[in-house]
Amino acid sequence: WESYFRDSCRVPCRRCQRVWTSEWDSHGIAPRAHVAMYKACAVSCYDGDLLAAIDAAIDDGVDLLSISIGPESPFPFYYDVIALGAFRAIQKGIFVSCSAGNDGPYPSTVTNDAPWILTVGASTIDREIRATVKLGNNVELHGQSLFQPKDFHPRQPLPIVHPAAISNNESAAVCEKGSLKNIDVKGKIVICHMGQLRIEDKGKEVKDNGGAAMIVFNEQDDGYTTLATANVLPASHISYKDGLVLKNYLISTQSPTATISFQGTLIGKSQPAPQMASFSSRGPSTQSRGILKPDIVGPGLNILSAWGVSIDEATNPFNVISGTSMSCPHLSGVAALIKSAHPDWSPAAIKSAILTTAYTADLNGNPISTEQNVSATVFDRGSGHVHTLRALNPGLVYDIEPDDYIPYLCGLGYSEQQVRYIVQRKVNCSTPTLIPGAQLNYPTFSMVLGAGDQMTYTRTVTNVGRPFSTYISKVLSPQGVAVKVMPSVIRFKDLNDKASYTVTFTRLENVTRSSIIGQGSLVWNSIGDDGYKVVSTIAVVFV
């Protein structure tokens, strides 16, 4: 690897020192886990440093790797340093989870999408750190702020100023540094558009120019995703919908006013939850359409954890951060629990347990939704939201050995040399050994279907539930697709017995579809009191 990447690395490849560093980890999910942290990045992340850090962890004999780092855009796996390092890890039996990326809600932005990696998207939780805006017309808009001042009690509502309505400068609309110096904001509540600038930086600009408080409202793409940030002044981040209410109020009066009150932490008030976070990168994968990515989603919005430095001169430094870098360690913790309960399980078996036991409904029983409050698709949330307890006892698992990826990689059209970069040995990509991506023994199904297409794939499951067990298949077919499972009943005599089945997907003619994608599921239900329900998500792109 060092010779391969020497020309592309701006610093020499070197083994990174094993150090303690402030990082989000899986300790809250698996509190008895021992966490080792490897410093891979300083100001920037370089290929050689990332590989060296992964190699150091592998050499130290870790059980799992949690990598909250990703490329700016997807790369072929033979040129993706995290995919390369992760493959070496799974060859050693080490489970690898990675963040899916923060470029949502736009399609095909998911990164870290190699099938030997658990690719984790981000969802919301049912906790708010509430900051309520009360407008001069008594309409209340519920937002969020980590900064909850106890001494912000204006004697009367404060005047509102909207820089975007005063200046044609986009920088003033988002309250960039230096943009408010010629706008009278002193003693007023300043309205800032979300844009790309950090909320904390907007607040500094407002405070530096004498502003009393700040309201930040979302652009349309961010919908209902609001952040609880460590603001430097009283503030509230509100949704796009509430932002429209605010703007209509500004138009309706010549002297708009408002107040902001702070209610602290509220549990169960954030509805619906879980919901997709707007920033969570989405599928389908650009590198392998035969593999559904992201795999899973977990808590990634407004996550509280220890922080290396105080953000507000507090005695105990903590912070609240959002991103798939927060959801990834949650899933790493779940994987650690599974590894502890089943130390002989492979990384693929652990992933299978997580994916086939996920849930797809929110706390109200409705389908998990996007940041726009519409039902999320399989390319938004993958198999669904992680269900920790069910993942510990999945009944059946779809296992994959490291060498099983070789015909898959050859099937992607990679040359033998490119596959060798990944698996680190000579391979033979002769035609009989090639398989399409969807033929990999993955716990989900993903495919592209054209007019008249029919695809048949084989899967093999391993019994990890109970001996003398029987499973019956149940299919929820994607709209416009016929799905046939053979056999429809599988039986196991002993633990670790295997059974294979085939699934044929046929695109139906003259069927009106409501979308260019189709989604469904194949469920294996156990007979008896076991209650096992092994769900494989189905994703289809129609062309």
Side-chain angles (χ1 to χ4, degrees), residues 2 23 31 51 53 75-76 86 121 136 140 189 193 223 225 256 270 349 358 386 440 456 460 465:
E2 291 192 6
E23 178 58 275
L51 281 175
F75 288 104
E140 292 188 343
I189 296 178
H193 298 198
T225 297
S270 181
V386 61
L440 192 66
T456 299
T460 300

PDB file of all heavy atoms in Angstrom, residues 2 23 31 51 53 75-76 86 121 136 140 189 193 223 225 256 270 349 358 386 440 456 460 465:
ATOM      1  N   GLU A   2       1.954   1.258   0.793  1.00  0.00           N
ATOM      2  CA  GLU A   2       2.766   2.460   0.857  1.00  0.00           C
ATOM      3  C   GLU A   2       3.321   2.807  -0.519  1.00  0.00           C
ATOM      4  O   GLU A   2       3.336   3.964  -0.917  1.00  0.00           O
ATOM      5  CB  GLU A   2       3.890   2.289   1.875  1.00  0.00           C
ATOM      6  CG  GLU A   2       3.384   2.240   3.320  1.00  0.00           C
ATOM      7  CD  GLU A   2       4.510   2.352   4.323  1.00  0.00           C
ATOM      8  OE1 GLU A   2       5.649   2.587   3.888  1.00  0.00           O
ATOM      9  OE2 GLU A   2       4.251   2.207   5.518  1.00  0.00           O
ATOM     10  N   GLU A  23     -12.971  12.200  21.088  1.00  0.00           N
ATOM     11  CA  GLU A  23     -13.668  11.684  19.924  1.00  0.00           C
ATOM     12  C   GLU A  23     -14.964  11.037  20.392  1.00  0.00           C
ATOM     13  O   GLU A  23     -15.098  10.604  21.525  1.00  0.00           O
ATOM     14  CB  GLU A  23     -12.766  10.655  19.203  1.00  0.00           C
ATOM     15  CG  GLU A  23     -13.389   9.983  17.985  1.00  0.00           C
ATOM     16  CD  GLU A  23     -13.823  10.958  16.926  1.00  0.00           C
ATOM     17  OE1 GLU A  23     -14.944  11.469  17.037  1.00  0.00           O
ATOM     18  OE2 GLU A  23     -13.056  11.191  15.993  1.00  0.00           O
ATOM     19  N   PRO A  31     -21.088   0.085  27.574  1.00  0.00           N
ATOM     20  CA  PRO A  31     -20.318   0.779  28.614  1.00  0.00           C
ATOM     21  C   PRO A  31     -19.130   0.005  29.159  1.00  0.00           C
ATOM     22  O   PRO A  31     -18.252   0.589  29.788  1.00  0.00           O
ATOM     23  CB  PRO A  31     -21.366   1.031  29.710  1.00  0.00           C
ATOM     24  CG  PRO A  31     -22.454   0.048  29.445  1.00  0.00           C
ATOM     25  CD  PRO A  31     -22.483  -0.154  27.966  1.00  0.00           C
ATOM     26  N   LEU A  51      -4.446   5.004   6.463  1.00  0.00           N
ATOM     27  CA  LEU A  51      -4.057   3.600   6.364  1.00  0.00           C
ATOM     28  C   LEU A  51      -3.164   3.189   7.527  1.00  0.00           C
ATOM     29  O   LEU A  51      -3.303   2.088   8.075  1.00  0.00           O
ATOM     30  CB  LEU A  51      -3.331   3.349   5.040  1.00  0.00           C
ATOM     31  CG  LEU A  51      -4.221   3.197   3.798  1.00  0.00           C
ATOM     32  CD1 LEU A  51      -3.366   3.086   2.554  1.00  0.00           C
ATOM     33  CD2 LEU A  51      -5.119   1.970   3.921  1.00  0.00           C
ATOM     34  N   ALA A  53      -3.123   4.450  10.551  1.00  0.00           N
ATOM     35  CA  ALA A  53      -3.925   4.339  11.766  1.00  0.00           C
ATOM     36  C   ALA A  53      -4.718   3.037  11.784  1.00  0.00           C
ATOM     37  O   ALA A  53      -4.811   2.362  12.819  1.00  0.00           O
ATOM     38  CB  ALA A  53      -4.861   5.541  11.877  1.00  0.00           C
ATOM     39  N   PHE A  75     -15.436   6.896  -4.261  1.00  0.00           N
ATOM     40  CA  PHE A  75     -14.343   6.458  -5.123  1.00  0.00           C
ATOM     41  C   PHE A  75     -14.488   4.965  -5.407  1.00  0.00           C
ATOM     42  O   PHE A  75     -15.083   4.228  -4.605  1.00  0.00           O
ATOM     43  CB  PHE A  75     -12.982   6.693  -4.452  1.00  0.00           C
ATOM     44  CG  PHE A  75     -12.565   8.122  -4.365  1.00  0.00           C
ATOM     45  CD1 PHE A  75     -12.639   8.808  -3.163  1.00  0.00           C
ATOM     46  CD2 PHE A  75     -12.098   8.799  -5.480  1.00  0.00           C
ATOM     47  CE1 PHE A  75     -12.251  10.126  -3.071  1.00  0.00           C
ATOM     48  CE2 PHE A  75     -11.707  10.131  -5.393  1.00  0.00           C
ATOM     49  CZ  PHE A  75     -11.790  10.791  -4.187  1.00  0.00           C
ATOM     50  N   PRO A  76     -13.930   4.468  -6.518  1.00  0.00           N
ATOM     51  CA  PRO A  76     -13.830   3.012  -6.679  1.00  0.00           C
ATOM     52  C   PRO A  76     -13.099   2.417  -5.488  1.00  0.00           C
ATOM     53  O   PRO A  76     -12.190   3.033  -4.924  1.00  0.00           O
ATOM     54  CB  PRO A  76     -13.024   2.862  -7.976  1.00  0.00           C
ATOM     55  CG  PRO A  76     -13.242   4.140  -8.723  1.00  0.00           C
ATOM     56  CD  PRO A  76     -13.372   5.207  -7.672  1.00  0.00           C
ATOM     57  N   ALA A  86     -10.314  -1.210   5.537  1.00  0.00           N
ATOM     58  CA  ALA A  86     -11.399  -2.002   6.116  1.00  0.00           C
ATOM     59  C   ALA A  86     -11.357  -3.441   5.630  1.00  0.00           C
ATOM     60  O   ALA A  86     -11.690  -4.367   6.386  1.00  0.00           O
ATOM     61  CB  ALA A  86     -12.752  -1.367   5.779  1.00  0.00           C
ATOM     62  N   GLY A 121     -26.170   5.788   8.313  1.00  0.00           N
ATOM     63  CA  GLY A 121     -26.809   7.083   8.172  1.00  0.00           C
ATOM     64  C   GLY A 121     -27.264   7.616   9.519  1.00  0.00           C
ATOM     65  O   GLY A 121     -27.146   6.940  10.552  1.00  0.00           O
ATOM     66  N   GLY A 136     -44.735  38.649  18.010  1.00  0.00           N
ATOM     67  CA  GLY A 136     -45.589  39.716  18.524  1.00  0.00           C
ATOM     68  C   GLY A 136     -47.064  39.445  18.374  1.00  0.00           C
ATOM     69  O   GLY A 136     -47.893  40.050  19.072  1.00  0.00           O
ATOM     70  N   GLU A 140     -46.311  30.877  18.591  1.00  0.00           N
ATOM     71  CA  GLU A 140     -45.105  30.277  19.134  1.00  0.00           C
ATOM     72  C   GLU A 140     -44.468  29.320  18.127  1.00  0.00           C
ATOM     73  O   GLU A 140     -45.169  28.502  17.511  1.00  0.00           O
ATOM     74  CB  GLU A 140     -45.404  29.527  20.435  1.00  0.00           C
ATOM     75  CG  GLU A 140     -45.784  30.445  21.584  1.00  0.00           C
ATOM     76  CD  GLU A 140     -45.886  29.703  22.906  1.00  0.00           C
ATOM     77  OE1 GLU A 140     -45.977  28.441  22.880  1.00  0.00           O
ATOM     78  OE2 GLU A 140     -45.876  30.352  23.967  1.00  0.00           O
ATOM     79  N   ILE A 189     -33.412  41.289  17.867  1.00  0.00           N
ATOM     80  CA  ILE A 189     -33.333  39.880  17.500  1.00  0.00           C
ATOM     81  C   ILE A 189     -33.065  39.806  16.007  1.00  0.00           C
ATOM     82  O   ILE A 189     -33.832  40.328  15.200  1.00  0.00           O
ATOM     83  CB  ILE A 189     -34.627  39.125  17.851  1.00  0.00           C
ATOM     84  CG1 ILE A 189     -34.854  39.116  19.370  1.00  0.00           C
ATOM     85  CG2 ILE A 189     -34.573  37.689  17.330  1.00  0.00           C
ATOM     86  CD1 ILE A 189     -36.140  38.418  19.798  1.00  0.00           C
ATOM     87  N   HIS A 193     -30.518  33.354   7.834  1.00  0.00           N
ATOM     88  CA  HIS A 193     -30.807  32.154   7.053  1.00  0.00           C
ATOM     89  C   HIS A 193     -29.758  31.089   7.379  1.00  0.00           C
ATOM     90  O   HIS A 193     -28.609  31.407   7.702  1.00  0.00           O
ATOM     91  CB  HIS A 193     -30.784  32.457   5.563  1.00  0.00           C
ATOM     92  CG  HIS A 193     -31.826  33.448   5.143  1.00  0.00           C
ATOM     93  ND1 HIS A 193     -32.233  33.596   3.843  1.00  0.00           N
ATOM     94  CD2 HIS A 193     -32.552  34.361   5.850  1.00  0.00           C
ATOM     95  CE1 HIS A 193     -33.152  34.539   3.757  1.00  0.00           C
ATOM     96  NE2 HIS A 193     -33.358  35.022   4.967  1.00  0.00           N
ATOM     97  N   GLY A 223     -35.627  21.159   5.830  1.00  0.00           N
ATOM     98  CA  GLY A 223     -36.925  20.795   6.381  1.00  0.00           C
ATOM     99  C   GLY A 223     -37.035  20.978   7.880  1.00  0.00           C
ATOM    100  O   GLY A 223     -36.860  22.073   8.422  1.00  0.00           O
ATOM    101  N   THR A 225     -35.201  19.403  10.238  1.00  0.00           N
ATOM    102  CA  THR A 225     -33.994  19.087  11.003  1.00  0.00           C
ATOM    103  C   THR A 225     -33.447  20.352  11.648  1.00  0.00           C
ATOM    104  O   THR A 225     -32.985  21.256  10.956  1.00  0.00           O
ATOM    105  CB  THR A 225     -32.923  18.462  10.097  1.00  0.00           C
ATOM    106  OG1 THR A 225     -33.406  17.216   9.582  1.00  0.00           O
ATOM    107  CG2 THR A 225     -31.645  18.192  10.884  1.00  0.00           C
ATOM    108  N   PRO A 256     -42.190  44.414  13.681  1.00  0.00           N
ATOM    109  CA  PRO A 256     -42.209  43.041  14.208  1.00  0.00           C
ATOM    110  C   PRO A 256     -41.385  42.925  15.489  1.00  0.00           C
ATOM    111  O   PRO A 256     -40.320  43.539  15.621  1.00  0.00           O
ATOM    112  CB  PRO A 256     -41.597  42.224  13.077  1.00  0.00           C
ATOM    113  CG  PRO A 256     -40.722  43.192  12.353  1.00  0.00           C
ATOM    114  CD  PRO A 256     -41.410  44.515  12.444  1.00  0.00           C
ATOM    115  N   SER A 270     -40.261  15.609  20.649  1.00  0.00           N
ATOM    116  CA  SER A 270     -39.798  15.742  19.277  1.00  0.00           C
ATOM    117  C   SER A 270     -40.495  14.694  18.422  1.00  0.00           C
ATOM    118  O   SER A 270     -40.138  13.519  18.430  1.00  0.00           O
ATOM    119  CB  SER A 270     -38.274  15.552  19.215  1.00  0.00           C
ATOM    120  OG  SER A 270     -37.805  15.702  17.898  1.00  0.00           O
ATOM    121  N   ALA A 349     -21.623 -11.637   9.640  1.00  0.00           N
ATOM    122  CA  ALA A 349     -22.729 -12.146  10.444  1.00  0.00           C
ATOM    123  C   ALA A 349     -23.250 -11.076  11.392  1.00  0.00           C
ATOM    124  O   ALA A 349     -24.469 -10.946  11.604  1.00  0.00           O
ATOM    125  CB  ALA A 349     -22.280 -13.384  11.221  1.00  0.00           C
ATOM    126  N   ALA A 358     -33.691  -4.597  11.963  1.00  0.00           N
ATOM    127  CA  ALA A 358     -33.987  -3.169  12.072  1.00  0.00           C
ATOM    128  C   ALA A 358     -35.486  -2.918  11.980  1.00  0.00           C
ATOM    129  O   ALA A 358     -36.258  -3.754  11.490  1.00  0.00           O
ATOM    130  CB  ALA A 358     -33.255  -2.404  10.971  1.00  0.00           C
ATOM    131  N   VAL A 386     -31.668   0.922  13.742  1.00  0.00           N
ATOM    132  CA  VAL A 386     -31.129  -0.199  14.511  1.00  0.00           C
ATOM    133  C   VAL A 386     -32.011  -0.525  15.711  1.00  0.00           C
ATOM    134  O   VAL A 386     -32.530   0.359  16.395  1.00  0.00           O
ATOM    135  CB  VAL A 386     -29.686   0.106  14.964  1.00  0.00           C
ATOM    136  CG1 VAL A 386     -29.652   1.341  15.874  1.00  0.00           C
ATOM    137  CG2 VAL A 386     -29.067  -1.092  15.667  1.00  0.00           C
ATOM    138  N   LEU A 440     -24.008 -11.321  -4.349  1.00  0.00           N
ATOM    139  CA  LEU A 440     -23.275 -11.458  -3.094  1.00  0.00           C
ATOM    140  C   LEU A 440     -24.247 -11.834  -1.980  1.00  0.00           C
ATOM    141  O   LEU A 440     -25.400 -11.387  -1.973  1.00  0.00           O
ATOM    142  CB  LEU A 440     -22.583 -10.132  -2.765  1.00  0.00           C
ATOM    143  CG  LEU A 440     -21.544 -10.132  -1.651  1.00  0.00           C
ATOM    144  CD1 LEU A 440     -20.329 -10.976  -2.023  1.00  0.00           C
ATOM    145  CD2 LEU A 440     -21.113  -8.695  -1.341  1.00  0.00           C
ATOM    146  N   THR A 456     -32.480 -13.543 -11.094  1.00  0.00           N
ATOM    147  CA  THR A 456     -32.558 -14.574 -10.062  1.00  0.00           C
ATOM    148  C   THR A 456     -31.277 -14.567  -9.244  1.00  0.00           C
ATOM    149  O   THR A 456     -30.171 -14.582  -9.801  1.00  0.00           O
ATOM    150  CB  THR A 456     -32.772 -15.962 -10.670  1.00  0.00           C
ATOM    151  OG1 THR A 456     -34.012 -15.980 -11.392  1.00  0.00           O
ATOM    152  CG2 THR A 456     -32.835 -17.030  -9.575  1.00  0.00           C
ATOM    153  N   THR A 460     -27.793 -17.736   1.047  1.00  0.00           N
ATOM    154  CA  THR A 460     -27.594 -18.823   2.005  1.00  0.00           C
ATOM    155  C   THR A 460     -27.658 -18.238   3.408  1.00  0.00           C
ATOM    156  O   THR A 460     -26.974 -17.260   3.720  1.00  0.00           O
ATOM    157  CB  THR A 460     -26.241 -19.510   1.797  1.00  0.00           C
ATOM    158  OG1 THR A 460     -26.184 -20.061   0.470  1.00  0.00           O
ATOM    159  CG2 THR A 460     -26.034 -20.617   2.816  1.00  0.00           C
ATOM    160  N   GLY A 465     -30.356 -19.426  15.664  1.00  0.00           N
ATOM    161  CA  GLY A 465     -31.450 -19.307  16.623  1.00  0.00           C
ATOM    162  C   GLY A 465     -31.596 -20.539  17.489  1.00  0.00           C
ATOM    163  O   GLY A 465     -30.950 -20.668  18.543  1.00  0.00           O
TER     164      GLY A 465
END
